[in-house]
Amino acid sequence: TGYQRRVRGAHCWMMATAMRSSQLFVICTAMVLEASASLPSIGSISVSCEDTIAGHHECGRQIGAQFAPQIHAAFNANHAVLALYHAVLSNHTARQLFDQLTSTASKRYPLYMAELVGTAEGSRQPLDLVLTTNLAQELSAGLASGGGERIELPSKCSDVLMDRGNTTAWVHNEDYGMEYMNTVYFVRIKLWSAEGQSRDLSTFTYPGVLPGWAPGWNSHGIGFSWNVLSPRSIRPGGGVGSTFVCRDTLEAVSIDDAIKRATPSDFAYGQNLNVGSFIDRKIVTVEIAPGGRSSVLQIQRGAEPVFHANEYLRLVVPQISENLISAKHRLARFEATSPKPSTLQDMLNVLGDTTDSAYPIFRRNDTTHEDTLFSIAFDLDRAEVSVFRDNPRSAQALLWKESIVITS
């Protein structure tokens, strides 16, 4: 367990682990204390564990216990996940697919499966419900492609990426269902190797979902954001689920390592990875299809900014057409922007665009009944991350800013 304190504008956690009860470590992040007190807060936790099955289980248990109310509330409000969970419990085809996906995850990512077992225990939720939440995309697409009814899931998030003038950065809107506005949380994990070395992971986290399936960064100086994509079918025979791949990618030590982790040959579904290095000051966007097929685009110095949302723009992949409507509208708004962004604030202004009232880039219970939960800016020039809890066009929307500390 740990306690929190503020020191000269920093937010610090001093913690002693059960495994190393005599060893204290301090994690400090540069917090902007002038941020508006009226903004809705995001709960946070810092945990420390051995990089073992038991250690990951304990980290997951602490996260689940800390955020049990948020997990309970989000699960009860997410009717799509509840429908999938009912199918897993009552439908042979759904159960068979669920068992394939969970068996593969247990073999490929036993440490992360242990985290979820711990999260289920800590939050006092059924393990199969926690696993269904983590495999919702694959279950929805797999059942529909097998002739079942499609259970609709949100088509979420937008990114603007740029390496131009004095700005090497990318910005991201994290969009999802309204039930997550007050239930999303932030997790910092310190993992210890058997040799006594540590690495730090920092990431926004959906209730009951593995850390990593939302924007984050690590102590190797690598930052990440993700956009949902909607292939019409999953990989034949199933494979590894998106949240497990995201959790693994969160530990990448370089951009190349992130791409490798994000594109396994047994990847069951698809998504868009945006990844940057605070060390190399490089940014890459990657479209990923079932089976790990991918298209990698490096953001070129001096080129116009790149926009990506929830549609394959380079890979040819059969997609769920209903899920593309909002993404096409958001892309059209970016393409209509003139002049194109040349500063970080220009990029944030794009994320805050509400011109298209039916399908805006910045979302507040729009036509799809989705919200922009928060916006985030990865500034590679200043090695800073800024988090906005309202429209990022306004300086009053800033919730916090922190410097990226590279220690491993």
Side-chain angles (χ1 to χ4, degrees):
T1 60
Y3 61 88
Q4 301 182 8
R5 63 175 181 147
R6 289 189 184 274
V7 182
R8 293 185 180 274
H11 200 61
C12 302
W13 288 264
M14 296 188 69
M15 304 184 66
T17 71
M19 291 77 71
R20 293 177 170 81
S21 59
S22 63
Q23 182 172 8
L24 287 174
F25 67 88
V26 181
I27 306 173
C28 295
T29 59
M31 304 289 285
V32 178
L33 301 180
E34 310 87 67
S36 172
S38 64
L39 295 172
S41 61
I42 295 177
S44 64
I45 188 174
S46 290
V47 294
S48 174
C49 59
E50 299 273 9
D51 197 12
T52 62
I53 294 289
H56 282 260
H57 178 277
E58 176 57 18
C59 269
R61 188 199 64 77
Q62 290 184 38
I63 294 168
Q66 173 76 18
F67 296 108
Q70 289 92 330
I71 294 170
H72 177 79
F75 282 6
N76 283 347
N78 192 326
H79 300 299
V81 167
L82 290 176
L84 288 170
Y85 180 50
H86 176 74
V88 166
L89 295 180
S90 60
N91 179 284
H92 173 73
T93 301
R95 186 76 211 191
Q96 188 176 44
L97 176 57
F98 175 85
D99 288 343
Q100 286 177 342
L101 292 166
T102 54
S103 175
T104 300
S106 295
K107 293 173 183 175
R108 292 274 276 105
Y109 302 110
L111 297 177
Y112 309 148
M113 183 61 79
E115 281 186 29
L116 289 180
V117 172
T119 297
E121 292 178 7
S123 61
R124 299 185 179 181
Q125 295 291 332
L127 177 59
D128 280 0
L129 176 54
V130 170
L131 292 173
T132 297
T133 302
N134 281 267
L135 297 168
Q137 293 179 95
E138 291 76 18
L139 289 168
S140 175
L143 293 175
S145 62
E149 179 183 359
R150 183 176 302 281
I151 297 174
E152 296 297 334
L153 297 170
S155 174
K156 68 189 197 81
C157 305
S158 305
D159 284 76
V160 182
L161 312 98
M162 187 174 75
D163 186 358
R164 192 180 192 189
N166 296 321
T167 305
T168 304
W170 86 98
V171 296
H172 173 88
N173 274 354
E174 186 68 15
D175 307 330
Y176 214 55
M178 295 182 296
E179 65 269 24
Y180 292 102
M181 178 59 76
N182 296 313
T183 57
V184 69
Y185 46 87
F186 189 76
V187 173
R188 299 184 193 271
I189 304 175
K190 181 175 280 289
L191 293 171
W192 293 92
S193 70
E195 296 76 29
Q197 298 177 329
S198 67
R199 61 190 185 278
D200 298 312
L201 315 174
S202 303
T203 179
F204 292 89
T205 305
Y206 284 94
V209 177
L210 280 168
W213 195 60
W217 55 93
N218 64 33
S219 55
H220 300 297
I222 308 298
F224 314 85
S225 65
W226 301 88
N227 290 316
V228 166
L229 297 178
S230 300
R232 186 158 289 279
S233 303
I234 66 170
R235 175 180 176 271
V240 295
S242 300
T243 62
F244 289 89
V245 170
C246 292
R247 175 66 181 81
D248 190 47
T249 305
L250 184 62
E251 301 204 27
V253 300
S254 65
I255 289 179
D256 288 343
D257 186 35
I259 295 171
K260 180 179 179 180
R261 290 171 183 256
T263 58
S265 61
D266 56 351
F267 188 37
Y269 203 46
Q271 54 193 356
N272 165 229
L273 164 67
N274 302 289
V275 57
S277 170
F278 288 91
I279 299 173
D280 300 330
R281 293 178 66 252
K282 290 171 52 178
I283 307 170
V284 168
T285 182
V286 187
E287 293 182 351
I288 310 162
R293 187 164 60 94
S294 64
S295 171
V296 178
L297 175 66
Q298 181 173 332
I299 307 306
Q300 296 297 320
R301 179 70 181 162
E304 287 201 342
V306 172
F307 182 91
H308 208 294
N310 310 112
E311 178 184 12
Y312 285 100
L313 302 177
R314 301 183 303 278
L315 283 180
V316 178
V317 178
Q319 300 176 75
I320 303 170
S321 57
E322 309 92 280
N323 288 4
L324 304 182
I325 298 172
S326 173
K328 287 181 178 295
H329 277 252
R330 283 176 274 146
L331 176 61
R333 275 304 308 152
F334 171 76
E335 291 179 339
T337 300
S338 181
K340 288 293 186 288
S342 61
T343 68
L344 181 58
Q345 186 58 54
D346 290 345
M347 299 165 75
L348 291 169
N349 290 343
V350 171
L351 290 191
D353 191 290
T354 58
T355 305
D356 186 334
S357 59
Y359 299 100
I361 297 177
F362 183 81
R363 306 162 83 172
R364 277 291 183 266
N365 191 17
D366 66 3
T367 306
T368 65
H369 303 293
E370 294 171 29
D371 276 337
T372 296
L373 308 181
F374 60 87
S375 304
I376 185 168
F378 295 87
D379 186 340
L380 303 190
D381 295 303
R382 294 174 177 80
E384 290 179 346
V385 173
S386 301
V387 179
F388 302 84
R389 195 69 158 127
D390 203 343
N391 192 311
R393 289 188 169 190
S394 168
Q396 299 304 311
L398 181 66
L399 184 62
W400 91 75
K401 179 185 291 187
E402 70 175 77
S403 300
I404 301 299
V405 180
I406 301 168
T407 60
S408 57

